[in-house]
């Protein structure tokens, strides 16, 4: 398309502003070609160059260092997505909202959406055409009520909006855990066990958004995880499994966009959670899926009733998309394993795989249980034999060998495995028995200490629920890299340890060693 | 409160970014004191200095020109609201969402909110503690369903969140029009008529957000409109009336915040419109209120049924707050007056007040009708005598004299009254009668031409519905100040004139003179 002569052209400039997911551009209030203020009523603009377009939210500046009169400043996400060199002339015009927003408004007014409308919304979301406010409108509009048909349409549209993996095998297994539990790195044990048995398990994982570590962050301590689609296929073909970051594979990109707004608003609904997880797993080409729902007072799911409702939704969507879905509930009252934070969790994982004496038993047992369920999807395995087979693969060292093979195939990690050099212990204020451990509190404390950004920051637990402690005995140790994190974490731990011993909170003032 | 030593302190820097209503701050990714990435999971931060706090949305930068390692860059709205000098050390910490957001989430899940919850939400909104996404969450959560009690609580909370005017008079009248109709500057004629009669009418108006002119923008052509509360009181005491911008008086500030998100999302609901208008009028101390609802195919309200539903809501809220509310519907099929844009509309107004021969009759008649309703609130006036009294005050020049008095009291305008020097005519493609005029289209065209930023940009209409036109005869003239606006407006008018003559659209390609 030739440039429209009546439309303004501006030179691209790069503005080093990380605006998260949202495309943001900056224009001078004295812009020669573009009367920025005219656009204030619109607040969104469209950049166009040949066939390439980008919708962005407009900010105005009086500072030539951000954007001179003949320039348009592209924030980092806008610059990368538009992918044109600095200095390129682009056409800029006020942007009408995406047409699919009309369906969002209808949903807000209470109308049920049809498949075509949901497809259009998801396509616009996946192409970053919605502003954060518009994303919020869709999320909230569908938070109060969503029909079964809408849920299916949403899941299907999200699965189709990005990469869709196809595998040569009849059975492709996968697992997913409804997060919230610190530690809990079962995937890194389950995948090598199942892969060692011979079932394909191409696992993609997320990075932490609000937690101190995602499986991708922890695996990155051991191996490269930024792996693309073609490389992923070759790794799975040689190792039966992989443990990579989902971000490079682009499964269900609309889901990533929705999550970026869901999280700050704390807006998870059951239906959105199911659509999110199932869309990723369907796009990943899994045929047999195990969902782990930890239940506990500080877990994401707090009651058995909630877990059951969630299970039914997973089963319903799985059935309609022809996938075998099994949902189990697990103990979510406390962290799994002893480490919280990438390096500490990776150490736990390797201790379990290496059958080391001090390996955390809870992590080992939970991983064996999950692996057992997945192994029984193998028609050649005798019913009930899954657990014994999983233990055999773990105890014999076959799983560790498989993990080494996967690590070698993914390539070496560039991360240091050092723990934070600046640590302090949080100690019991009196004798007693550990009654409760607050998962939310420990997650937040590990983040304050620097995880996941500092791989070696985090928490090592010495005591779990039911353990006897004596006054002054350490409950856990916090590792940090820098002074400010140390002070912030110490002050947070002093305020509230997250442990209740014998029904008494550890009082403040006793904690930093 | 002493600075918390474990919290990070950063130096204030001013970043010349106009981020609209939202507080935005910029922190270096390599920030020494504040590990910015740790905060990414939070995305909102709290600035604190002594008792002063500010919630803001966090952006990350790699550019020391925006924020060095020991600095925090405050965008324009954040800088003005925090109101501390550049270089001041402030404490920065991750910010939890405002507590009232829990009530917003409950509303989204379908629960009805009580008065205390609505009060807390409105207070947080009025103090700029909500992010744009959070505002959207509240708007959408209450868009699908709101009870009568919630509507009353919302109106009351909004009215109480800002300035509340008190007048010495028993009767204080006011009028409001549910916008959408270009021209339609009746307030600037009604206020001097009613004030000349002796009834107090302290009118505050808005500036244009998505239209080519608000009453405040048009009045600004004739007089200063940025008037504060004390000055407003003295003007009304000496002139019985005023015509000022509401922004300086701070009536219902939460409403301004809500509107800033409603508009880009096109989310007006009846209830939100009523709460918005009534909260402003209650805070303004009006006792007797006239609401004008123009009804037409391209007006905000398109059917008589919709107008009636809206009328009932206004009456309900008015009654509960002890205000006399009268709602009338008017012809909203086409613009009122001949001018669209501040200078052109001000010319229309002064022509009507000056009883000039070519003054637009529709603007005169509608203003007389509205003034008549307001005058009859005067117990001393005989029932049915309002119209004659209004015409007497207008025809005798008393209204014009009153307007001059108000203009003198408010002070001289600093705006030029020149019309845009670059103009073009849009002409009829064939003989016929004007059948329809698209209000939305003409509003948008006048904005493209530069209004309201360029006071003298806009449209002068030569033909209205029912007028005979000959082929080639001008339908309207578009005034602009600069080349790009001229070209953009000409191209837009060529695409669609907004006029249908004799049932036929003026075809493209005939328009620019």
């Amino acid at each position: 398309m030739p440039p429209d002569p009546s439309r303004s052209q501006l030179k691209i400039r790069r503005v080093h502003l990380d605006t998260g997911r949202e495309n943001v551009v900056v224009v001078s209030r004295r812009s020669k070609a573009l009367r920025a203020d005219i656009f204030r009523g619109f607040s969104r603009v469209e950049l166009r160059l040949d066939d390439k377009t980008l919708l962005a939210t407009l900010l105005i500046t009086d500072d030539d260092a951000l954007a001179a009169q003949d320039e348009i400043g592209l924030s980092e996400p806008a610059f990368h997505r538009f992918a044109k060199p600095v200095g390129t002339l682009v056409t800029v015009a006020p942007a009408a909202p995406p047409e699919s927003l009309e369906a969002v408004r209808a949903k807000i007014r209470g109308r049920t959406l049809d498949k075509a409308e949901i497809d259009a919304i998801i396509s616009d979301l996946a192409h970053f055409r919605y502003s954060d406010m518009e994303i919020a409108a869709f999320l909230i509009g569908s938070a109060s009520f969503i029909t079964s048909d809408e849920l299916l349409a949403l899941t299907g549209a999200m699965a189709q909006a990005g990469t869709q993996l196809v595998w040569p095998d009849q059975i492709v297994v996968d697992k997913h855990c409804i997060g919230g539990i610190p530690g809990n790195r079962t995937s890194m044990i389950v995948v090598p066990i199942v892969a060692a048995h011979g079932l394909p398990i191409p696992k993609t994982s997320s990075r932490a958004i609000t937690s101190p570590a995602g499986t991708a962050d922890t695996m990155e301590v051991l191996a490269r995880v930024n792996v693309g689609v073609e490389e992923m296929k070759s790794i799975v073909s040689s190792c039966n499994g992989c443990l990579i970051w989902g971000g490079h594979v682009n499964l269900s990109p609309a889901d990533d966009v929705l999550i970026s707004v869901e999280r700050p608003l704390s807006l998870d609904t059951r239906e959105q959670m199911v659509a999110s997880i199932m869309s990723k797993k369907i796009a990943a080409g899994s045929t047999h899926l195990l969902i782990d729902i930890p239940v506990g007072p500080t877990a994401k799911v707090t009651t058995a009733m909630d877990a059951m409702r969630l299970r039914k939704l997973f089963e319903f969507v799985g059935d309609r998309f022809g996938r075998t879905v099994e949902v189990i509930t697990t103990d979510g009252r406390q962290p799994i394993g002893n480490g919280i934070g990438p390096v500490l969790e990776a150490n736990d994982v390797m201790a379990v795989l290496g059958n080391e004496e001090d390996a955390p038993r809870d992590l080992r047992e939970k991983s064996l249980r999950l692996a057992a369920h997945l192994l029984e999807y193998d028609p050649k395995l005798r019913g009930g034999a899954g657990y014994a087979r999983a233990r055999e693969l773990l105890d014999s060292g076959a799983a560790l060998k498989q993990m080494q093979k996967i690590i070698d195939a993914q390539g070496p990690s560039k991360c240091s495995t050092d723990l934070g050099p600046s640590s302090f212990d949080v100690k019991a204020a009196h004798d007693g028995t550990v009654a409760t451990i607050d998962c939310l509190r420990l997650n937040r404390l590990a983040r304050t200490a620097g995880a996941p950004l500092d791989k070696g920051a985090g928490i090592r637990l010495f005591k779990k629920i039911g353990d006897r402690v004596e006054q002054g005995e350490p409950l856990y140790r916090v590792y940090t890299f820098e002074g400010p994190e140390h002070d912030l974490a110490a002050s947070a731990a002093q305020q509230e340890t997250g442990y209740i011993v014998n029904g008494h909170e550890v009082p403040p003032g006793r904690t930093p060693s």
Side-chain angles (χ1 to χ4, degrees), chain A:
Chain A
M1 202 188 292
D4 177 348
S6 72
R7 285 297 179 194
S8 321
Q9 290 218 312
L10 292 171
K11 269 192 297 192
I12 289 182
R13 178 179 187 136
R14 184 172 178 178
V15 175
H16 295 282
L17 266 183
D18 181 352
T19 53
R21 186 206 51 73
E22 191 166 18
N23 292 327
V24 173
V25 295
V26 182
V27 167
S28 170
R29 200 185 302 280
R30 296 165 299 110
S31 175
K32 268 183 187 157
L34 181 74
R35 293 290 300 279
D37 284 71
I38 298 178
F39 286 9
R40 279 316 292 271
F42 297 88
S43 88
R44 300 268 291 165
V45 291
E46 185 182 67
L47 280 63
R48 181 182 289 276
L49 179 63
D50 305 325
D51 285 344
K52 189 147 194 137
T53 61
L54 183 91
L55 285 186
T57 296
L58 179 69
L59 298 182
I60 310 295
T61 188
D62 295 304
D63 188 351
D64 277 1
L66 287 168
Q69 298 187 22
D70 58 344
E71 291 179 324
I72 182 163
L74 272 61
S75 67
E76 293 296 336
F79 186 81
H80 285 111
R81 287 184 193 133
F82 201 60
K84 299 287 177 189
V86 168
T88 309
L89 273 177
V90 289
T91 305
V92 183
E99 269 180 44
S100 64
L101 208 60
E102 209 33 72
V104 172
R105 285 192 206 100
K107 181 74 196 156
I108 291 169
R109 287 193 299 269
R111 188 160 69 71
T112 297
L113 302 185
D114 63 26
K115 194 175 168 313
E117 288 170 318
I118 290 176
D119 283 348
I121 292 169
I122 294 302
S123 167
D124 282 338
L125 279 173
H127 290 91
F128 307 102
R129 294 197 197 104
Y130 273 32
S131 72
D132 281 356
M133 269 197 275
E134 291 161 352
I135 297 167
F138 172 65
L139 279 172
I140 299 159
S142 41
S144 47
F145 180 71
I146 176 169
T147 66
S148 301
D149 283 344
E150 285 177 321
L151 174 58
L152 291 176
L154 188 61
T155 307
M158 283 163 74
Q160 279 166 32
T163 306
Q164 293 179 72
L165 297 173
V166 180
W167 303 99
D169 315 86
Q170 283 224 301
I171 296 180
V172 177
V173 305
D174 207 343
K175 73 165 280 283
H176 187 89
C177 176
I178 311 298
I181 306 300
N184 202 25
R185 285 284 90 80
T186 54
S187 290
M188 290 171 64
I189 299 164
V190 170
V191 167
I193 292 175
V194 171
H197 176 75
L199 275 183
I201 181 164
K203 180 94 183 84
T204 63
S205 306
S206 54
R207 291 187 184 278
I209 300 180
T210 54
S211 76
T215 294
D217 300 304
T218 301
M219 184 64 188
E220 200 171 30
V221 172
L222 306 174
R224 191 169 58 94
V225 296
N226 292 355
V227 167
V229 171
E230 289 314 312
E231 206 184 344
M232 176 192 186
K233 285 182 175 169
S234 113
I235 294 167
V236 174
S237 131
S238 66
C239 306
N240 293 328
C242 65
L243 280 156
I244 65 172
W245 178 44
H248 262 215
V249 186
N250 200 36
L251 302 171
S252 192
D255 180 48
D256 297 334
V257 169
L258 288 175
I259 284 176
S260 72
V261 173
E262 248 168 51
R263 290 292 157 87
L265 287 176
S266 311
L267 254 188
D268 285 322
T269 65
R270 270 198 298 273
E271 285 80 3
Q272 272 154 3
M273 190 195 284
V274 170
S276 160
I277 294 167
M278 290 304 290
S279 71
K280 281 219 153 76
K281 295 307 177 190
I282 291 165
S286 323
T287 60
H288 292 68
L289 184 57
L290 178 67
I291 307 278
D292 166 20
I293 306 182
V295 179
T298 55
K300 259 197 191 167
V301 175
T302 53
T303 68
M305 177 67 85
D306 278 350
M308 193 195 63
R309 288 211 192 101
L310 202 50
R311 194 194 84 201
K312 305 252 170 187
L313 275 182
F314 274 113
E315 290 167 350
F316 166 70
V317 174
D319 286 355
R320 293 303 175 96
F321 283 93
R323 317 285 158 141
T324 303
V325 174
E326 192 178 1
V327 181
I328 60 169
T329 56
T330 56
D331 181 356
R333 290 174 306 145
Q334 62 178 334
I336 302 290
N338 301 330
I340 306 172
V343 168
L344 287 154
E345 294 175 18
N347 291 350
D348 275 0
V349 164
M350 294 313 287
V352 170
L353 286 172
N355 297 304
E356 290 170 23
E357 208 167 314
D358 59 350
R361 290 207 64 77
D362 56 348
L363 180 61
R364 173 186 155 95
E365 277 312 315
K366 182 168 177 182
S367 302
L368 284 173
R369 186 180 160 204
L370 298 178
H373 279 277
L374 289 173
L375 290 176
E376 297 210 349
Y377 287 138
D378 179 358
K380 296 191 292 292
L381 210 64
R382 209 178 155 77
Y387 186 86
R389 174 66 176 146
R391 200 169 57 189
E392 178 194 334
L393 290 162
L394 182 59
D395 290 349
S396 69
L400 176 62
K401 210 174 129 196
Q402 196 71 20
M403 182 65 157
Q404 291 297 359
K405 200 174 162 187
I406 291 170
I407 289 172
D408 290 345
Q410 292 187 197
S413 164
K414 284 177 183 161
C415 302
S416 155
T417 55
D418 292 345
L419 284 177
S422 169
S423 68
F424 62 89
D425 284 1
V426 173
K427 296 173 182 170
H430 50 81
D431 298 359
T433 308
V434 175
T436 69
I437 302 179
D438 185 332
C439 292
L440 292 172
R441 189 83 203 163
L442 291 184
N443 269 339
R444 217 172 301 143
L445 184 60
R447 269 190 88 90
T448 304
L453 186 69
D454 292 330
K455 295 275 187 196
I459 300 173
R460 174 182 290 167
L461 306 176
F462 300 122
K463 299 290 175 185
K464 302 293 269 288
I465 291 177
D467 284 351
R468 282 286 309 165
V469 293
E470 286 173 26
Q471 183 185 350
E473 203 182 356
L475 297 170
Y476 56 85
R477 182 169 297 160
V478 180
Y479 296 86
T480 67
F481 279 83
E482 290 185 57
E485 273 77 45
H486 181 103
D487 296 348
L488 274 171
S491 142
Q494 199 165 11
Q495 245 179 6
E496 201 189 310
T497 62
Y499 271 64
I500 295 179
V501 174
N502 253 3
H504 297 290
E505 174 80 5
V506 179
R510 310 293 299 260
T511 41
S513 59

